[in-house]
Amino acid sequence: MKYYSTNGRADRATLHEAVVKGLAGDKGLFMPEVIHHLPAGFFDEIQDLSFQEVAYRVADAFFGEDVPAETLKQIVYDTLSFDCPVVKVTESIYSLELFHGPTLAFKDVGARFMARLLGYFIKQEEGNRVNVLVATSGDTGSAVANGFLGVEGIHVYVLYPKGKVSAIQECQFTTLGKNITALEVDGVFDDCQALVKNAFMDAELNRHMKLTSANSINVARFLPQAFYYFYAYAQMKKMGKADQLVVCVPSGNFGNITAGLFGKVMGLPVKRFIAANNANDIFYNYLRTGEYNPRASVQTIANAMDVGDPSNFARIYDLYKGDHAAVSAEISGAAYTDEQIVETVKDCYEKNGYLLDPHGACGYRALCEGLHEGECGVFLETAHPAKFQSTVEDIIQRPVEIPAKLSAFMQGEKKSIPMSKDFVDFKAYLMKE
Ligand SMILES: *Cc1c(COP(=O)(O)O)cnc(C)c1O
């Protein structure tokens, strides 16, 4: 399958090229030329399939032409070494728990898949080292660093905003060593993202070293996120709750929800989507006004969604051919302040005994306020509440148990390299690598 650029001014790329390059030559995002519709028979039996089986069918539709079946199956099965259960929160609201992977956030799925697929392609390129640049507002860095740790031929540079990620998040990418380097940027997430984007566009730097991205820009990270939408549907169907299914996605860079929209194009019977924002309500405003006005991000307690110019907006725009009415027919929006997030975590815990993380709280609340008669909602619980320990403990006034997987990271020694937000400095650093 070929991949085209959302900007329409770059040559079509093979999967290999798209995965290795990350971003198209015209700064656009890669889109698959075809989104295959899955046969009705698949949806008839989906409730009886395992997560891996469901995911392999979806993966095959995207990557089957370009990756041998056995290799692809191995990649899918290795990636999904953990479950993504749907858990009941209220009569009509369910949580798709995406935090059972190694770094306790949904990004483990895309990052683990991408590391394996990139590793497969790099093996075919004799003697080449690929350098993955990843900007993170918290969870991407840990998922990518852990997904790529020890993968031969790949070095990862994690750029994160100094003082703006939680202590636990920081440990998950600064203590690993080996092929992982953490760069502590004196700026906000958008500065980190700008440094990465500039690096990809710098001809001299690209002659010096082979660069790629592991942000949700990369198709190998972005597309596998469709897997769990199908699996969520399968679980809801099994419970007889899938007839009018609304899926709500706490959104920042909009990679996660866009993968769900792709799922719908493939035939997944989701009635509609809700994109839940924090105070960074750029997409919410786009839905209301038809105008997309990116702006500097503001810091919130749902920090992985502190994004002022969501990169995957370009994919949504492309998918619906820029038709605002078509986008609005499929997706509605919601946006919550920190005060509302706090209130929601507390309320849900007291009423339902279910502990949300600040991101999932936006999703849960949007369903509480947005479900219509007869609909059932699933929100994506994108991270484990313990990743935001102090925030959550302050809210519920009780200690939150830290899963063993997480506390293991806290034992390591933090190592990071300070970096300014000026591209000149970042480039100079990389030119010496
Ligand atoms: C990254 C992240 C999000 C936002 O996902 P996007 O794909 O960027 O929209 C939401 N919640 C958590 C916990 C995250 O780590």
Side-chain angles (χ1 to χ4, degrees), residues 340-356:
Q340 290 173 308
I341 293 172
V342 166
E343 186 181 280
T344 307
V345 171
K346 188 164 185 286
D347 193 60
C348 181
Y349 185 66
E350 284 170 2
K351 278 204 191 114
N352 310 310
Y354 191 83
L355 186 59
L356 298 160

Side-chain angles (χ1 to χ4, degrees), residues 105-107 139-140 216 225 250-257 304-305 357 359 382-383 388:
F106 79 90
K107 293 186 175 79
D139 284 341
T140 305
S216 50
Q225 298 176 147
S251 294
N253 250 326
F254 280 74
N256 205 6
I257 194 169
M305 307 189 328
D357 95 289
H359 307 79
T382 47
F388 308 92

